[in-house]
Amino acid sequence: TINTKRIQLLMLFQYFLKTKELQIRKFAPILESVLESGNGVVEVPSNEWETVPDIWRTCAQKFGDRVALVDPYHDPPTNTTYNQLEQEILNFCEGLRVIGLKPEEKIALFADNSCRWLVADQGTMATGAINVVRGTRSSVEELLHIYNHSESVALVVDDPQMYGRILETFDSQATVRFVILLWGEKSSIKSEAELQKPIYSYKEVMDLGKKSRTSLLDSKDASKSSFRFRP
């Protein structure tokens, strides 16, 4: 009947969407398993980790509100629990997807050790992209060589001062899809229109990721409650 065919097509479409989503999130399947569980409760034995970022799901389950990171050297000073760290990594990961980073692409992380460095590092790995890391004390020439030789497509840098130091050289000798600042604001940098590339603050990436994750979870809840058919 027409209704039977309609149901079959809708079920096939849902299967396609779910398969596509699983392919996108296969690079840290345990970490992102909350989207499959629907309720956020997923017990995962430690021996089932498939990638490094997967450990944060288990750590959040085991240690929850215990402090995972202490960073007193930046503004604001930060005490981050395991629960908070897991959510920040997930939001950063999803934010990278929203702004266009794809699995197996390379992204340069030129920054010094901090709580946000860890979030950026693990969030990038969770997308399936490849980190190209270096500290801020390297010369501009060395950073440019690392960026171009690695075939990186975008930049994550420590702060506006760091980006200002490499801006002129990278603007003329490298192709940069977008820039993310881990610390500080964009106000001291040339306009995005003048640079012809988007620049994101850490907070902007996190907000984009959180919004996208909320939308995905809401759509799953809606599909569970509204998957009904009328004769």
Side-chain angles (χ1 to χ4, degrees), residues 10-136:
L10 285 168
M11 292 179 68
L12 182 63
F13 180 65
Q14 280 204 333
Y15 173 78
F16 169 77
L17 290 179
K18 184 175 181 180
T19 301
K20 185 177 181 181
E21 183 179 303
L22 286 172
Q23 288 175 340
I24 292 172
R25 301 173 195 287
K26 69 180 180 180
F27 300 97
I30 306 305
L31 177 68
E32 298 199 81
S33 59
V34 63
L35 285 172
E36 291 306 307
S37 71
N39 59 10
V41 179
V42 184
E43 295 298 331
V44 182
S46 60
N47 61 359
E48 291 188 10
W49 296 336
E50 296 187 28
T51 63
V52 173
D54 282 337
I55 67 175
W56 304 112
R57 177 91 278 263
T58 305
C59 286
Q61 290 173 338
K62 288 185 175 182
F63 307 119
D65 293 328
R66 294 184 187 179
V67 175
L69 295 175
V70 177
D71 184 354
Y73 304 106
H74 290 86
D75 185 19
T78 305
N79 283 0
T80 308
T81 68
Y82 283 97
N83 280 333
Q84 291 169 334
L85 179 58
E86 179 200 25
Q87 293 305 306
E88 288 204 27
I89 291 170
L90 285 166
N91 287 337
F92 195 88
C93 167
E94 188 67 17
L96 287 175
R97 292 189 181 117
V98 171
I99 62 179
L101 187 67
K102 298 177 177 61
E104 299 183 4
E105 288 188 320
K106 287 89 171 179
I107 182 169
L109 175 54
F110 295 159
D112 294 329
N113 188 33
S114 70
C115 59
R116 292 183 180 181
W117 186 99
L118 179 63
V119 171
D121 175 71
Q122 294 297 291
T124 298
M125 292 176 69
T127 68
I130 299 163
N131 265 342
V132 179
V133 299
R134 196 64 172 167
T136 63

Side-chain angles (χ1 to χ4, degrees), residues 122-150:
Q122 294 297 291
T124 298
M125 292 176 69
T127 68
I130 299 163
N131 265 342
V132 179
V133 299
R134 196 64 172 167
T136 63
R137 296 183 181 181
S138 301
S139 68
V140 176
E141 292 72 21
E142 182 182 0
L143 295 174
L144 177 68
H145 174 75
I146 291 170
Y147 184 90
N148 284 333
H149 185 69
S150 66

Side-chain angles (χ1 to χ4, degrees), residues 202-220:
Y202 180 83
K203 184 178 183 301
E204 286 175 326
V205 176
M206 299 294 279
D207 288 345
L208 287 170
K210 184 177 181 179
K211 182 178 179 180
S212 177
R213 290 180 61 221
T214 300
S215 177
L216 285 168
L217 287 169
D218 288 346
S219 66
K220 281 184 172 293

Side-chain angles (χ1 to χ4, degrees), residues 1-11 227-231:
T1 65
I2 294 178
N3 284 335
T4 301
K5 290 182 178 179
R6 183 183 175 195
I7 291 172
Q8 290 174 338
L9 286 171
L10 285 168
M11 292 179 68
F227 194 67
R228 303 186 183 94
F229 302 94
R230 295 183 179 179

